[in-house]
Amino acid sequence: MEILKYLNPEFINVFGWTLEDLKGRRIPFVPDDQKKITDAKIKALYDYQKPVRFETTRLTKDGQLLDIFISAAIIKDTESEPSGMVVNLTDITEKKRLETRLQGAQRMEAIGTLAGGIAHDFNNLLTGILGNISLAMTLVDQEAQVVARLIEAENACR
């Protein structure tokens, strides 16, 4: 198990734990659904000794779930052997919320554009129908019962 040696003051501010709170144990901020992937990323970090970067979620001391971007790298001792890791956590919760809102706005804009196109096409169809009704009324006897039906159709189109 890694021994925690330092916490940035901003970590304490964002997540709520102090170094004293965490003495001798791992930070209890990995949600159950993220444990496997987190363990796999740590294993890959040590196996390949290449920095890892990924988006995930983490819990604060009071139980809030935050969207986090993690960047981690190996620390080597004087013999170039892994002796620990340094981890940088960036809270991207607000960025994710804004992205979600933007995507929603873009979907609404696309739906509005589609609806406008459909309305335009429908209007073109109605114009054709109204033109044919007007033409039909000029071709029939104005006393005929069909004129009343044509007037009803014309009113419905309008």
Side-chain angles (χ1 to χ4, degrees):
M1 178 172 90
E2 296 292 322
I3 297 171
L4 194 59
K5 295 183 181 166
Y6 175 77
L7 286 177
N8 180 298
E10 190 59 22
F11 177 92
I12 297 166
N13 184 41
V14 171
F15 289 97
W17 285 285
T18 65
L19 195 55
E20 293 76 36
D21 292 336
L22 300 169
K23 276 204 173 145
R25 64 187 190 126
R26 288 178 102 169
I27 304 169
F29 72 160
V30 181
D32 289 339
D33 68 334
Q34 295 296 306
K35 287 183 178 177
K36 268 187 175 176
I37 191 158
T38 299
D39 290 342
K41 295 287 185 179
I42 292 170
K43 182 177 180 340
L45 177 65
Y46 279 97
D47 287 350
Y48 303 110
Q49 298 186 21
K50 301 259 188 219
V52 294
R53 292 173 187 85
F54 62 102
E55 288 185 14
T56 185
T57 56
R58 293 294 184 258
L59 294 164
T60 64
K61 186 176 182 180
D62 64 2
Q64 283 185 351
L65 193 62
L66 301 178
D67 292 304
I68 300 294
F69 178 78
I70 295 181
S71 177
I74 290 290
I75 299 172
K76 295 183 180 182
D77 62 19
T78 55
E79 284 83 37
S80 293
E81 292 298 317
S83 63
M85 67 176 147
V86 62
V87 180
N88 181 352
L89 305 167
T90 304
D91 181 0
I92 58 171
T93 305
E94 188 60 27
K95 177 185 173 206
K96 289 291 214 178
R97 283 187 189 136
L98 290 173
E99 284 175 355
T100 300
R101 288 177 62 190
L102 177 61
Q103 289 170 350
Q106 288 171 334
R107 280 193 296 271
M108 291 304 292
E109 182 181 6
I111 289 169
T113 301
L114 178 64
I118 291 170
H120 179 77
D121 290 348
F122 190 68
N123 189 50
N124 287 344
L125 290 171
L126 287 177
T127 301
I129 293 168
L130 283 170
N132 281 304
I133 290 171
S134 293
L135 181 61
M137 287 202 302
T138 64
L139 299 175
V140 297
D141 180 12
Q142 293 301 307
E143 300 297 319
Q145 290 181 344
V146 74
V147 171
R149 298 287 183 230
L150 289 172
I151 290 172
E152 284 180 30
E154 186 177 44
N155 290 337
C157 285
R158 290 190 195 284

